[in-house]
Amino acid sequence: MKSIRIGTRNSPLALWQANEAARKLKSLGIDCQIVPVLSSGDKNLSQPLYSMGITGVFTRDLDAALLNDEIDIAVHSLKDVPTILPENISLFAFLERDFPQDVLVRNSKSKAKPIENLKVATSSLRRRAFWLKEFPNTEFTDIRGNVQTRLQKIEDGLADATIFSLAGLKRLALNIDYELLPFMLNAASQGVITIAGRTDNQWISSILNQINHEETALCVQAEREFLQTMEGGCTAPIGAFAEIENGKMRLVGRLCSIDGKDCVETDETTDIQYVAGFGSRLAQKVLENGGKEIMDALRKMNVGS
Ligand SMILES: NCc1[nH]cc(CCC(=O)O)c1CC(=O)O
């Protein structure tokens, strides 16, 4: 049987995730190889990306490589995958979620500072708004780059602390101190690795089906439904977390204004046989209970979109 070409971005986190997918495939006796994919500037496509319906900044190069038949599958952090996929791209597998949480990492000088006095480096609207809900007087600064770069930047004094996805930290096996933040709510799909393929590729679809984690798939379906119904194409401070226990799914969703002053939250449980539509139903409730005004204000500020 032919070997599966696994496309991935080139960062240490992306490569770890691609290797995790490779380990799963190898355990089925399937041969595979990792193919780091260059950025879109380097590619020769017959059609421009936008005409192929490709949007996500983190995923578009891999979408293009899939459609160009340079790779057979693409491994992504699901959190970075837009809720609307390009034509002929499908998410065929979701790996079991390990850590959905956000965590705080301080630089060595700020270990003893009261949490409400920390200057925090994060460019995430969600992390800023949810943090402000708890600690309204916090000062923030933007930060970009991979995990190692960000750690260096706070150590160099850019800010006292920064916020990471725990899943990302664990995958990189960095031995650093972190604090869980129980007042934060994760982004939809945080901590979940997904594997995409071409929708018309049955060979790949049937293989990936064997490594799909059913419960995780159901949870992220609800979280992404919630996100999609809330946003309608605009980037907003939205969190969503679903979990399954004893045949029931609990979904917690939250929308906040940019300053964290206005938040609408929902928290409901349903039997898993009724999961289809659950996420959008809860999002609809949030919109009807003050969420619509928050979203309108966000759109006026031109956030995201
Ligand atoms: N947008 C960045 C991003 N996308 C996925 C991860 C980590 C893995 C995950 O949370 O699924 C991160 C880093 C972070 O948020 O700290």
Side-chain angles (χ1 to χ4, degrees), residues 9 13 17 58 76-80 98-102 124 126-127 145 147 150 163-169 171 187-193:
R9 296 171 68 217
L13 179 64
Q17 296 182 167
F58 294 111
H76 302 289
S77 294
L78 183 58
K79 168 165 101 152
D80 298 329
D98 38 19
F99 303 101
Q101 306 92 333
D102 281 328
S124 155
R126 174 186 60 85
R127 288 174 175 153
V147 171
R150 293 187 199 194
I163 304 171
F164 288 120
S165 141
L166 181 55
L169 281 191
R171 286 170 196 159
S189 310
Q190 186 161 310
V192 175
I193 297 167

Side-chain angles (χ1 to χ4, degrees), residues 93-154:
F94 304 93
L95 304 188
E96 184 171 9
R97 175 184 264 166
D98 38 19
F99 303 101
Q101 306 92 333
D102 281 328
V103 293
L104 183 73
V105 176
R106 300 168 183 248
N107 66 20
S108 39
K109 280 198 224 148
S110 309
K111 300 283 185 212
K113 252 196 190 183
I115 191 166
E116 63 273 20
N117 295 348
L118 292 173
K119 178 178 174 185
V120 180
T122 178
S123 296
S124 155
L125 293 179
R126 174 186 60 85
R127 288 174 175 153
R128 287 186 181 205
F130 292 4
W131 186 279
L132 283 169
K133 175 178 192 284
E134 200 71 16
F135 307 113
N137 298 317
T138 302
E139 188 190 339
F140 292 101
T141 184
D142 277 316
I143 189 167
R144 305 256 172 222
N146 68 30
V147 171
Q148 284 90 343
T149 324
R150 293 187 199 194
L151 288 171
Q152 191 58 51
K153 284 183 178 172
I154 59 162

Side-chain angles (χ1 to χ4, degrees), residues 83 224-232 279-284 287 299:
T83 51
R224 282 167 65 79
E225 243 183 38
F226 180 83
L227 180 67
Q228 189 180 350
T229 304
M230 293 290 307
E231 293 197 309
S280 37
R281 202 147 33 76
L282 293 206
Q284 212 60 53
L287 290 170
R299 289 202 183 90

Side-chain angles (χ1 to χ4, degrees), residues 26-59:
K26 284 184 182 144
S27 74
L28 298 176
I30 293 165
D31 195 33
C32 40
Q33 71 202 79
I34 306 276
V35 182
V37 169
L38 300 174
S39 70
S40 46
D42 307 316
K43 279 213 169 99
N44 234 333
L45 291 170
S46 54
Q47 265 179 289
L49 290 176
Y50 64 84
S51 75
M52 297 159 81
I54 294 179
T55 55
V57 278
F58 294 111
T59 50

Side-chain angles (χ1 to χ4, degrees), residues 13 15 18 29 41 49-50 57 67-68 71 112 121 140 159 170 176 180 185 201 203 219 239 247 260 265 270 274 280:
L13 179 64
L15 288 168
L49 290 176
Y50 64 84
V57 278
L67 297 174
N68 250 5
I71 54 175
F140 292 101
K170 294 274 187 188
I176 53 170
L180 287 171
L185 184 62
N201 189 340
W203 166 58
C219 289
E265 191 154 323
T270 190
Y274 304 119
S280 37

